[in-house]
Amino acid sequence: MIQQGQTLPAATLSQLTKDGMVQHPTAELFAGKKAVVFAVPGAFTPTCSEAHLPGYVVLADQLKAKGVDFIACVSVNDAFVMKAWGEAQNASELMMLADGDGSFTKALGLEMDTAGFGGVRSQRYAMVVDNGVVTTLNVEAPKSFEVSKAEVILAAL
C-alpha cells in the first residue's frame, strides 16, 4: 500500500467533460498542484452518496481556501457513471475521475474484492497530494466511515 511521502504511481484516470472524454495521466494531473483525492467503493452506493461525496461538495470552498487546487473523487467505475453521479450530487466543483479498469487503485495497493457486489473496487480513503507526493493518507477500516470524511481532511490541512 502506498505510504505518506511516496509519489503517486503512474496511471491514467478518465473524466467525461462537456467537451468529451479526457484522459489524465497522474504525473501530469498532479504536477505542481495540491489536491485532495478521495476514493469510494462505488458511485451511487449508500454511504458514498449520502455522506462521503456530499461532505466534499459542501466543504469544497473551505478546502480550496486552504490552498487545495482541486478535489478529485475516484472510483472503479466508468467515466459515464462518474459524470452522471457527479451531476446527481451537484458536484460541479469536484473532478469525478474514473479508474475504469482499477489500475490506479491496484497500483496504490488500495483495492478490495467485493465479489458479487462489483468485483475489484477501491477501498474507501482520502489523501492529500502535493506535487504528486502523498502528504496525508487516511484509509478506512472495512465498513467504516470516519477518517476519510471531508471534515477530517480539512482539519489536517
Side-chain angles (χ1 to χ4, degrees):
M1 178 173 62
I2 194 161
Q3 301 293 315
Q4 289 179 188
Q6 291 183 322
T7 301
L8 287 177
T12 300
L13 297 166
S14 303
Q15 180 184 25
L16 185 58
T17 70
K18 62 179 175 9
D19 300 319
M21 191 69 69
V22 178
Q23 301 298 324
H24 296 284
T26 53
E28 292 175 20
L29 182 61
F30 295 99
K33 305 274 188 214
K34 184 173 190 175
V36 170
V37 179
F38 68 101
V40 298
F44 292 104
T45 56
T47 301
C48 306
S49 292
E50 294 164 14
H52 207 176
L53 178 59
Y56 284 94
V57 171
V58 169
L59 294 179
D61 290 342
Q62 291 178 53
L63 289 161
K64 289 180 178 180
K66 289 205 171 194
V68 171
D69 294 299
F70 68 92
I71 304 160
C73 176
V74 176
S75 184
V76 180
N77 283 110
D78 64 61
F80 298 94
V81 168
M82 293 301 287
K83 182 179 190 296
W85 189 40
E87 289 173 352
Q89 293 283 330
N90 297 311
S92 59
E93 293 294 310
L94 279 56
M95 291 183 78
M96 302 299 290
L97 299 176
D99 183 18
D101 63 359
S103 58
F104 177 67
T105 299
K106 290 174 188 171
L108 291 172
L110 290 169
E111 76 277 6
M112 65 176 176
D113 190 346
T114 64
F117 166 74
V120 174
R121 296 294 180 115
S122 178
Q123 294 180 50
R124 186 182 305 281
Y125 67 84
M127 65 171 93
V128 178
V129 179
D130 197 345
N131 194 27
V133 176
V134 177
T135 58
T136 300
L137 176 62
N138 295 0
V139 180
E140 296 287 359
K143 300 192 187 310
S144 293
F145 178 55
E146 298 295 328
V147 300
S148 65
K149 293 178 179 180
E151 299 85 349
V152 173
I153 296 301
L154 180 63
L157 291 172

